[in-house]
């Protein structure tokens, strides 16, 4: 049985563990934590909800992604907090508290992989396994000043990962360095030794930049100037409509596609259990869940078709050697307890998900790089590559921002 202890000043740990590696490998000497929607054998998985935890038996087996990194030499040091049913991007849990943002302690860590980002930013682990549907790895990576990877959809096994939004959600990684991110990602991706594609083109999604706060926009410009000098490649400004060759705003990725797909799938996975069991729900989740119960899934079928069209249109535009760049989040981390009005919540979520939905709807790999700072707070710059071009993206980001 794993050794456990709850002593943790960061507030990120559900349980402190010491799971030895299965074998020696490329992750020797590295430590990692696991988001509490990913199974660890013999330990109940809470999914961010004590009611879910108490209603389900402990798994017999680890999630496959956990065994992959244990077999590569890494040591698991903890199970960490997840937002309730992973249905949040802020990281303020009604049941488990707000894990500490190690690089901006007075501010939220972001969610739903809040404990993952907190544990790494506070030095408890070198990397953490999390999940990402609407930005749940990329957002906390950006707000906590970490490297974060959302892989191409279904590149990493989701066996042993609790159900959420199967057409959108993927296992990913937050890490304390690009080298660590690269090593862990290649284990999970089962990468071979194919010659990497050369970086040839950097597209800057101007609609995404314009959504960000003015101070973030200035940091994006400075970062792109440095990248151009480093790579010798001039970034190309391009609006979303130009990229896909159709009249459509960037917000369509969220408002007319991904959001409806996520909500319909959540109804079929978690909402079925909630309606049957009537568990205690946190206040913030209860407010969001009202949108789920009122949602017309039949009317949303057109949105689901639109998701497929966007997937094809975006990937057709991403020719070999191309990377798309944009701010990971439009803002630095909000202060803890500041998302208390509907106006503040809508501003944070709508602008953030307009950015994160681009890779989500196109099933792209995306890396958030912690190379920008505003008011002494980190904010990420994201790079996305074509679907299943994860290894190319890792190589390209090393060239641009490593």
């Amino acid at each position: 049985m794993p050794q456990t202890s709850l002593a943790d000043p960061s507030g990120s740990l559900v349980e402190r563990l010491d799971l030895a590696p299965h074998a020696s490998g490329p992750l020797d000497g590295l430590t990692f934590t696991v988001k509490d929607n990913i199974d660890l054998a013999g330990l109940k998985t809470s999914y961010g909800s004590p009611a879910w935890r108490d209603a389900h038996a402990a798994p017999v087996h680890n999630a496959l992604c956990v065994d992959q990194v244990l077999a590569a030499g890494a040591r698991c040091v903890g199970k960490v907090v997840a937002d309730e049913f992973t249905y949040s991007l802020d990281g303020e849990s009604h049941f488990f508290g707000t894990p500490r943002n190690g690089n901006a302690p007075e501010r939220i860590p972001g969610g739903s992989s809040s404990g993952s980002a907190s544990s790494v930013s506070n030095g408890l682990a070198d990397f953490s396994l999390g999940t990402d549907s609407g930005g749940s790895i990329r957002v906390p990576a950006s707000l906590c000043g970490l490297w974060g990877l959302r892989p191409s959809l279904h590149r990493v096994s989701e066996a042993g990962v609790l159900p959420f939004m199967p057409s959108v959600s993927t296992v990913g990684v937050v890490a304390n360095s690009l080298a660590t991110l690269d090593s862990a990602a290649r284990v999970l991706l089962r990468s071979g030794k194919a010659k990497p594609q050369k970086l040839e083109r950097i597209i800057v999604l101007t609609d995404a930049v314009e959504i960000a706060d003015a101070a973030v926009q200035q940091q994006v410009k400075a970062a792109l100037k440095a990248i151009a000098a480093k790579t010798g490649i001039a970034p190309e400004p391009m609006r979303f409509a130009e990229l896909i060759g159709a009249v459509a705003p960037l917000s369509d990725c969220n408002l007319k596609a991904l959001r409806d797909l996520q909500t319909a799938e959540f109804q079929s996975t978690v909402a079925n259990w909630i309606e049957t069991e009537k568990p205690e729900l946190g206040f913030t989740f209860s407010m969001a869940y009202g949108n789920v119960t009122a949602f017309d899934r039949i009317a949303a079928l057109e949105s689901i078709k639109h998701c497929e069209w966007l997937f094809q249109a975006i990937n057709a535009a991403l020719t070999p050697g191309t990377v798309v760049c944009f701010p990971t989040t439009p803002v630095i981390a909000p202060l803890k307890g500041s998302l208390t009005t509907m106006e503040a919540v809508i501003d944070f979520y709508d602008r953030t998900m307009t950015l994160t939905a681009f890779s989500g709807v196109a099933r792209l790999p995306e890396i958030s790089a912690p190379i920008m700072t505003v008011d002494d707070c980190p904010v990420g710059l994201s790079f996305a590559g074509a679907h299943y071009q994860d290894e190319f993206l890792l190589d390209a980001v090393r060239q641009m921002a490593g």
Side-chain angles (χ1 to χ4, degrees):
M1 290 293 294
Q3 300 174 12
T4 65
S5 167
L6 293 180
D8 168 33
S10 76
S12 65
L13 294 176
V14 175
E15 300 194 56
R16 188 183 296 275
L17 306 171
D18 186 16
L19 301 180
H22 294 329
S24 181
L27 303 183
D28 283 355
L30 296 178
T31 57
F32 72 102
T33 57
V34 178
K35 183 178 179 179
D36 198 16
N37 65 332
I38 299 174
D39 282 347
L40 289 171
L43 298 174
K44 287 196 171 189
T45 310
S46 81
Y47 209 178
S49 164
W52 179 284
R53 176 197 63 205
D54 296 344
H56 293 82
V60 175
H61 301 287
N62 292 329
L64 189 55
C65 58
V66 173
D67 279 330
Q68 283 181 271
V69 295
L70 286 170
R75 178 177 294 272
C76 180
V77 296
K79 176 190 282 280
V80 290
V81 173
D83 288 2
E84 189 173 2
F85 297 113
T86 67
Y87 203 77
S88 171
L89 290 177
D90 55 58
E92 296 186 286
S93 169
H94 174 81
F95 296 108
F96 295 94
T98 302
R100 181 180 183 269
N101 181 334
N103 286 310
E106 301 305 313
R107 297 177 179 271
I108 63 172
S112 63
S113 302
S114 54
S116 290
S118 174
S119 64
V120 176
S121 67
N122 283 285
L124 275 66
D126 299 304
F127 69 96
S128 185
L129 300 181
T131 56
D132 187 303
S133 296
S136 288
I137 281 176
R138 294 162 287 163
V139 170
S142 176
L143 302 187
C144 290
L146 301 171
W147 294 89
L149 167 68
R150 174 200 164 90
S152 293
L153 187 67
H154 303 321
R155 269 301 301 268
V156 180
S157 172
E158 290 131 40
V161 181
L162 288 173
F164 182 47
M165 299 165 181
S167 295
V168 181
S169 185
T170 180
V171 173
V173 183
V174 292
N176 58 10
S177 71
L178 179 55
T180 298
L181 183 79
D182 186 278
S183 296
R186 291 179 191 272
V187 167
L188 293 166
L189 296 168
R190 309 173 300 280
S191 297
K193 295 183 179 180
K195 184 177 179 180
Q197 169 72 43
K198 180 182 178 183
L199 175 63
E200 298 179 356
R201 191 180 187 199
I202 303 170
I203 294 173
V204 181
L205 206 55
T206 53
D207 324 44
V209 177
E210 291 166 1
I211 289 170
D213 286 353
V216 175
Q217 293 185 34
Q218 290 301 315
Q219 287 295 304
V220 171
K221 291 177 183 177
L224 291 173
K225 184 177 180 180
I227 288 169
K230 189 171 185 178
T231 62
I233 300 173
E236 303 172 43
M238 188 176 296
R239 302 195 73 79
F240 179 69
E242 295 177 82
L243 179 70
I244 64 171
V247 179
L250 177 63
S251 59
D252 275 7
C253 292
N254 179 34
L255 299 178
K256 292 188 176 181
L258 196 71
R259 179 179 289 181
D260 284 355
L261 174 59
Q262 288 181 310
T263 308
E265 293 200 334
F266 193 82
Q267 283 184 330
S268 294
T269 54
V270 182
N272 277 334
W273 181 82
I274 291 175
E275 293 303 313
T276 301
E277 299 298 324
K278 308 297 182 184
E280 179 186 356
L281 303 175
F283 175 77
T284 302
F285 174 79
S286 295
M287 296 298 99
Y289 186 63
N291 296 325
V292 176
T293 57
F295 183 71
D296 184 345
R297 61 195 285 117
I298 304 305
L301 293 177
E302 285 300 314
S303 296
I304 296 171
K305 288 170 60 178
H306 195 52
C307 280
E308 186 64 22
W309 181 82
L310 285 167
F311 163 70
Q312 296 180 15
I314 293 169
N315 279 280
L318 299 184
T319 53
T322 299
V323 163
V324 180
C325 179
F326 47 92
T328 310
T329 54
V331 296
I332 60 174
L335 291 167
K336 287 190 248 182
S338 65
L339 298 178
T340 55
T341 67
M342 188 60 67
E343 181 181 4
V345 170
I346 290 173
D347 179 67
F348 176 71
Y349 273 83
D350 281 0
R351 285 201 290 158
T352 299
M353 290 195 68
T354 296
L355 302 184
T356 60
F358 173 76
S359 292
V361 78
R363 309 171 203 167
L364 308 179
E366 179 182 327
I367 292 174
S368 179
I371 59 174
M372 304 191 299
T373 304
V374 172
D375 294 334
D376 295 323
C377 293
V379 62
L381 185 65
S382 267
F383 304 92
H387 182 58
Y388 258 65
Q389 293 299 304
D390 304 61
E391 288 85 354
F392 156 69
L393 183 63
L394 286 162
D395 291 330
V397 169
R398 186 187 301 108
Q399 184 179 343
M400 291 182 289

